[in-house]
Amino acid sequence: MKALFSLMQDTLNAAWVSRLLTLAIGLFFLMDLAPMEAVAAMGKMVGGGGVDVVNATSGATLVVQMVNKTMSDGKNVPFWVFCVSGSSNCHLPGPTLELGVGQTANFNLNVMGAPQEMPPYQGHTIHPHGLDVLQSEDGVPETGAAVLGDNYKFTVDTRYVGSHMYHCHVHTVKHLEMGMYAAFVVKAVDNLGNFTNVINQTGPAFDYEWNWVLSTVDPAYHADNAVGDSTVFADYNPKYFLVNGSEGLSKTAPAETVTAAAGKKIAIRLVGIHSVNGTFQIKDANGSSQSFVIYNRDGFALPSPQTVTSLEVNPGRTVDVMATLPAASGAWYPQITYKSLRNAAAYTNGTVYTRLNF
Amino acid sequence: MDVKIWRMFKRSEWYIAVLLLMFSGASWASTYTLYIKSGNWVVNGSGGATIKVWGFTDAPTAGPIVPGPLLESQEGESVTITVYNQHTLPHNFVVRGITTDQTQIPAGGNRTYVFTTSTAGVYLFSDTINSINREMGLYGAFVVHAAGGINKAWTNGPSFDIERLWVVSDMDKSRWNDIAGAGGTVNTSVYKPNYFMMNGMGGFDAMRAPNTVLQGNVGQVGLVRIVNAGQFDESLHFHANHFQIIDADGARLSSYEPGDTINVKAGTTAMLLYKFYRLGNYPMHVHTAQMETANGVYLNGAATLIVGQ
Ligand SMILES: [Cu+2]
Ligand SMILES: [Cu+2]
């Protein structure tokens, strides 16, 4: 703990803060010149909330913006979301970061002008959740992470080929809930360093990939008075249940509709940022459950893949699954039912539907 | 060791017990006396509070502790536990997965349990009469070590360098504990816990408690035994490395499953191996919103530290 506190003092050292600020401002202007080059073109990405997909090695800068969303009951809920600096495409969830295995992630967070709390919870960070990075890149203020902007650099080995996530680690009970999260995908690469479409380092290839960011929303946590150490955060009553930032209350109003070719292999990356339990299933138009194969949990390959028709996705976990689409055209409805942490009872409006046309 | 001396030691069980003590560095008691009492439990630090509890203690003149005293044995050992109910309501004592006697012990009564711990692992002991009794604090962990107290999860099982026990739990102070503790009736249909504990502590204490902080040299392996004695499922997220789950609620996995977050259902257990991979200080925390807090105060909930040195 001694080391922990001396690190915290270092962070609070004014000279260090100003150095970081200068660095962040400098990077902000540098990145502003070529923001769209940081956005990779992924021909086989069929969905994921329409968010920007960013190569994590690109030196891209992320910023934080307030986004107001009108929910299904007509109520307005403010979110804080990560956006690519200079991109007008600001969404809940934030942009997907993709990193080739063995390559060096190098990206920045600029919090200038970001919505934020007062001390001790000012600023924001990026925690590369599941990437097992060094303390200096971990984004945890309590162990010394800069909260007023930072550069993140790390590499991971082949065990990490799969889905992870990133999110702010400042006062996470508030900031995670506010929407400061997104998918982080580690990709296998070929000899030229180009991404390859395999589910893990030794796993099978897919034809399409679809990122699913799971989250839940208690509007009380988003209120103006829900700041600092407040008893608001002593209770969690989620009212809105999301996949890629959308509610998707029925098969006819899905959170997202994607299209893939019949007979092809699709990978779905489930990124669990929700704060309740959840059960994922794929159903056809008649409501019959389709089987799918689990390849990775928390971005690591399972000792052996598991074929199932139902999958529990827990808070803070990621799961990579694959399925082969039928040869004849049709539609599937991949869906998740959010459930209570106490007794696994499904929440009202707790099932979120998506649609996959083929 | 000289062969003659070894033979001499072998002559008596007493000598074997001494030998085990020397090698394990722990004191093995196969006989325990527990007392069930009402009292108060304090979660320290900002957001903390004094909470009415019913719990176990092994000190006849002391108040209850949360979780109850750690009970330990080795594979194959016979254990005798006598429980005195010094509370005004009936209670029972069940070691989940080991004992089956659910007989109520009346107020003022006592009961003795004799059983053999054949399988190394971690077990929840609790009052199973109803959900209130466990929620009120009548729970603890029973650890069955490998025979001989060796640093393996079980005989011929995976090895470890250091070991930790994490009992996580939750309490709804105003709707359950303070009502039941004052003799009132709890509406069990509503449960909104506002205290989330790691070994009975809020995170501020748990992040500096030497036996709770997961600390080791880079390259060493820690065995973490987890008991979720609460009413909520808990997702514990580890920074700085993935772990391997070796046992899910008493079922040993034939191939260990990797993860950075483990979901431990309410009333169940797990064991995992965590290899220290990174130098430095990292958090280990539940990944669900309010469970990181003590009545809303951030990080005084179910959290501790991982320290690689
Ligand atoms: Cu933040
Ligand atoms: Cu996380």
Side-chain angles (χ1 to χ4, degrees):
Chain A
M1 289 305 288
K2 222 175 189 178
L4 195 152
F5 285 127
S6 69
L7 266 165
M8 288 171 73
Q9 279 161 3
D10 282 353
T11 312
L12 294 174
N13 180 296
W16 186 224
V17 169
S18 76
R19 244 176 279 150
L20 279 170
L21 266 175
T22 314
L23 178 73
I25 293 166
L27 288 164
F28 177 79
F29 283 113
L30 268 178
M31 286 321 302
D32 235 13
L33 296 176
M36 297 319 291
E37 271 157 11
V39 180
M42 283 302 299
K44 301 207 171 184
M45 179 77 77
V46 293
V51 304
D52 288 339
V53 179
V54 179
N55 190 315
T57 64
S58 64
T61 293
L62 302 184
V63 297
V64 184
Q65 280 197 11
M66 175 99 78
V67 167
N68 283 294
K69 286 179 80 79
T70 303
M71 311 311 287
S72 55
D73 58 3
K75 297 213 169 97
N76 201 64
V77 178
F79 290 87
W80 298 345
V81 302
F82 290 112
C83 308
V84 180
S85 175
S87 169
S88 58
N89 191 26
C90 276
H91 277 278
L92 177 75
T96 298
L97 290 176
E98 292 187 330
L99 176 64
V101 66
Q103 299 174 359
T104 302
N106 174 22
F107 54 90
N108 308 288
L109 174 65
N110 183 335
V111 304
M112 299 279 284
Q116 57 185 294
E117 293 190 75
M118 301 291 284
Y121 300 134
Q122 79 277 23
H124 302 287
T125 65
I126 291 173
H127 167 55
H129 170 132
L131 283 306
D132 300 335
V133 300
L134 278 169
Q135 182 180 327
S136 59
E137 314 304 305
D138 203 32
V140 178
E142 290 76 12
T143 57
V147 297
L148 299 177
D150 209 345
N151 170 259
Y152 297 88
K153 268 200 186 77
F154 54 86
T155 62
V156 294
D157 62 51
T158 54
R159 292 174 300 165
Y160 292 82
V161 174
S163 301
H164 306 271
M165 60 178 87
Y166 70 92
H167 61 79
C168 179
H169 219 292
V170 174
H171 195 208
T172 49
V173 66
K174 165 81 176 175
H175 293 214
L176 199 68
E177 169 72 27
M178 286 302 285
M180 303 193 66
Y181 47 74
F184 193 116
V185 179
V186 177
K187 311 278 283 190
V189 297
D190 63 19
N191 291 337
L192 299 173
N194 297 316
F195 296 164
T196 59
N197 291 330
V198 289
I199 198 73
N200 58 45
Q201 186 65 19
T202 56
F206 52 80
D207 301 299
Y208 299 90
E209 62 186 312
W210 186 4
N211 294 343
W212 266 53
V213 176
L214 312 176
S215 61
T216 49
V217 177
D218 179 349
Y221 281 44
H222 296 243
D224 290 346
N225 65 344
V227 289
D229 285 323
S230 162
T231 53
V232 170
F233 304 123
D235 190 13
Y236 191 62
N237 297 290
K239 297 261 181 329
Y240 309 112
F241 301 90
L242 311 178
V243 170
N244 291 338
S246 293
E247 290 179 80
L249 292 169
S250 69
K251 287 202 292 186
T252 52
E256 191 166 27
T257 301
V258 302
T259 302
K264 296 289 188 182
K265 286 192 172 131
I266 184 152
I268 304 179
R269 303 178 180 280
L270 302 163
V271 178
I273 306 182
H274 53 320
S275 282
V276 299
N277 284 332
T279 303
F280 173 81
Q281 290 177 286
I282 301 175
K283 293 190 177 174
D284 68 12
N286 301 321
S288 308
S289 293
Q290 306 297 303
S291 64
F292 54 92
V293 184
I294 307 170
Y295 282 94
N296 309 326
R297 283 185 186 270
D298 297 346
F300 270 38
L302 290 182
S304 48
Q306 298 165 358
T307 301
V308 297
T309 54
S310 176
L311 164 67
E312 191 172 331
V313 188
N314 302 119
R317 301 211 71 179
T318 60
V319 192
D320 293 324
V321 305
M322 280 179 60
T324 304
L325 299 174
S329 63
W332 276 357
Y333 299 90
Q335 54 198 259
I336 184 146
T337 300
Y338 291 100
K339 298 175 175 177
S340 159
L341 290 173
R342 183 185 179 197
N343 52 20
Y347 280 100
T348 305
N349 291 335
T351 298
V352 181
Y353 299 85
T354 65
R355 181 175 172 143
L356 169 56
N357 293 325
F358 46 84
Chain B
M1 190 183 285
D2 185 281
V3 175
K4 261 186 210 161
I5 296 174
W6 173 239
R7 281 199 189 120
M8 186 184 81
F9 271 112
K10 273 181 81 177
R11 271 203 294 263
S12 138
E13 275 182 31
W14 188 83
Y15 279 121
I16 290 173
V18 169
L19 203 70
L20 288 175
L21 205 75
M22 284 165 52
F23 280 100
S24 67
S27 112
W28 299 104
S30 55
T31 301
Y32 289 98
T33 304
L34 298 177
Y35 305 88
I36 292 174
K37 301 181 181 201
S38 67
N40 291 304
W41 188 247
V42 177
V43 173
N44 291 314
S46 183
T50 299
I51 302 169
K52 289 194 194 314
V53 297
W54 304 334
F56 294 97
T57 176
D58 54 5
T61 57
I65 57 173
V66 178
L70 169 61
L71 307 179
E72 294 175 282
S73 70
Q74 293 181 359
E75 285 167 326
E77 193 177 352
S78 174
V79 178
T80 302
I81 300 176
T82 301
V83 179
Y84 288 86
N85 181 2
Q86 298 183 343
H87 187 225
T88 53
L89 294 171
H91 293 288
N92 74 6
F93 174 85
V94 177
V95 185
R96 187 171 169 274
I98 298 183
T99 71
T100 52
D101 180 354
Q102 301 191 46
T103 307
Q104 299 195 358
I105 312 167
N110 69 79
R111 193 165 182 86
T112 297
Y113 307 82
V114 181
F115 53 92
T116 301
T117 54
S118 53
T119 308
V122 64
Y123 301 87
L124 166 69
F125 70 80
S126 68
D127 178 335
T128 63
I129 293 173
N130 56 44
S131 61
I132 295 173
N133 289 3
R134 190 173 94 212
E135 194 274 350
M136 287 297 287
L138 284 162
Y139 53 77
F142 196 120
V143 173
V144 181
H145 299 265
I150 56 170
N151 281 0
K152 286 181 183 292
W154 53 82
T155 296
N156 299 321
S159 300
F160 59 85
D161 299 297
I162 65 116
E163 58 192 312
R164 290 292 183 270
L165 169 68
W166 291 347
V167 178
V168 292
S169 59
D170 43 70
M171 286 184 178
D172 182 337
K173 172 177 159 60
S174 60
R175 292 171 204 83
W176 285 48
N177 289 71
D178 289 354
I179 299 286
T185 304
V186 171
N187 171 11
T188 55
S189 67
V190 179
Y191 183 65
K192 292 176 172 296
N194 54 345
Y195 287 91
F196 299 90
M197 286 167 279
M198 163 61 81
N199 289 339
M201 296 173 278
F204 293 164
D205 277 352
M207 282 188 268
R208 52 179 180 237
N211 292 328
T212 297
V213 170
L214 183 54
Q215 181 161 3
N217 299 328
V218 169
Q220 284 190 322
V221 173
L223 170 68
V224 184
R225 300 180 177 95
I226 303 170
V227 175
N228 182 355
Q231 311 292 309
F232 273 23
D233 299 345
E234 300 221 13
S235 273
L236 292 89
H237 172 57
F238 290 61
H239 287 229
N241 201 5
H242 278 51
F243 49 70
Q244 290 181 303
I245 303 170
I246 61 171
D247 174 309
D249 200 25
R252 290 174 185 168
L253 304 190
S254 53
S255 48
Y256 306 151
E257 188 181 305
D260 59 54
T261 304
I262 183 168
N263 187 260
V264 186
K265 298 287 173 208
T268 75
T269 65
M271 298 202 295
L272 59 81
L273 301 173
Y274 181 89
K275 188 169 190 174
F276 295 93
Y277 175 54
R278 298 287 196 191
L279 272 176
N281 300 315
Y282 304 87
M284 194 301 299
H285 57 93
V286 289
H287 215 274
T288 40
Q290 89 280 17
M291 295 164 81
E292 293 176 289
T293 78
N295 204 29
V297 173
Y298 180 55
L299 284 186
N300 205 11
T304 186
L305 277 184
I306 296 168
V307 179
Q309 60 200 14

